[in-house]
Amino acid sequence: MADKIIRVLLVDDHQVVRRGLRTFLEIQEDIEVVGEASDGAEGVARTEELRPDVVLMDVKMPGTDGIEALRRLRQLDNPAKVLIVTSFTEQRTVVPALRAGASGYVYKDVDPDALAGAIRSVHAGHVLLQPEVAGALLAHDDGGGGTGRGSTLTEREREVLGLIADGRSNREIARALVLSEKTVKTHVSNILMKLDLADRTQAALWAVRNGAAG
């Protein structure tokens, strides 16, 4: 049972916010808050030290903000999934955060049960892309990559890519396409290599930008 516990790190510069998040998350049977940090730099250090499964990361923080912290975690090749916490008025920060390596985002006024669900979702390998983000990605497309690289994908790889963009985990993709998880992992690796992308979050963003999403 212990190996099913999702270990979470809270990174927010407001102690009241961290306390509120901790109070709620600690009543979840499958979630354990393993630590807190008050800014991005401390968040990176604590993530390296504690090796949480999921980091709940605020965007706007003094000093090192959430997006810079994400970039540092990517450089360190840290495997933690990062769930960005943002306000509706900070929506413009969502696209840079996703491109920096976030697995998704939630708004600060999110329903507590929905927050727990989001943590479980990114931990399971899902990418939380909501409709308004797809529009923002198209509006902010930096022109990198384009559809040219997509022509190198096989038909099966395109199917896998579409399911990644839908937020499916490798296990769910395997079930949907009647493949083994090992085969799906191979397809994902080939997709990332052919599209010159770092992870499945970038693959999902690429799919949305280039019309490959389901």
Side-chain angles (χ1 to χ4, degrees):
M1 186 70 176
D3 61 348
K4 296 183 180 179
I5 298 295
I6 304 171
R7 303 173 74 253
V8 175
L9 175 71
L10 306 177
V11 184
D12 194 293
D13 59 318
H14 293 100
Q15 184 178 3
V16 173
V17 173
R18 298 198 308 272
R19 185 178 301 155
L21 289 170
R22 178 184 280 274
T23 298
F24 168 72
L25 293 176
E26 285 186 339
I27 67 173
Q28 306 299 312
E29 292 185 358
D30 59 339
I31 296 175
E32 176 189 3
V33 177
V34 296
E36 301 180 13
S38 59
D39 60 44
E42 185 184 5
V44 171
R46 296 287 278 168
T47 302
E48 283 288 280
E49 173 194 354
L50 299 171
R51 312 301 283 188
D53 300 306
V54 177
V55 179
L56 211 55
M57 179 91 71
D58 190 14
V59 175
K60 298 291 187 182
M61 294 180 285
T64 303
D65 64 16
I67 294 174
E68 177 58 28
L70 272 162
R71 294 190 181 111
R72 293 184 188 179
L73 287 173
R74 170 176 287 178
Q75 290 170 354
L76 292 167
D77 200 26
N78 190 289
K81 308 289 187 182
V82 177
L83 189 58
I84 285 291
V85 182
T86 184
S87 72
F88 202 78
T89 57
E90 296 167 347
Q91 191 175 330
R92 68 175 67 88
T93 66
V94 171
V95 173
L98 289 169
R99 286 180 174 161
S103 294
Y105 73 97
V106 292
Y107 290 125
K108 290 182 178 178
D109 60 353
V110 65
D111 177 85
D113 290 329
L115 173 62
I119 290 171
R120 295 182 184 109
S121 183
V122 297
H123 178 252
H126 295 261
V127 178
L128 296 184
L129 277 178
Q130 298 181 27
E132 64 266 30
V133 174
L137 284 167
L138 293 173
H140 290 80
D141 190 0
D142 58 10
T147 56
R149 288 183 301 190
S151 63
T152 66
L153 298 179
T154 66
E155 183 176 347
R156 178 64 84 188
E157 287 165 354
R158 286 180 172 277
E159 290 178 318
V160 172
L161 179 59
L163 292 171
I164 290 173
D166 287 341
R168 306 287 190 91
S169 65
N170 284 352
R171 178 174 297 180
E172 291 172 324
I173 294 173
R175 191 176 300 131
L177 299 180
V178 195
L179 300 170
S180 69
E181 283 191 61
K182 183 177 180 180
T183 298
V184 171
K185 288 179 181 178
T186 299
H187 284 313
V188 173
S189 295
N190 289 340
I191 290 167
L192 297 180
M193 179 184 67
K194 289 181 178 181
L195 299 181
D196 192 25
L197 302 173
D199 53 42
R200 62 193 299 124
T201 302
Q202 286 192 351
L205 301 186
W206 189 98
V208 172
R209 288 204 307 269
N210 294 287

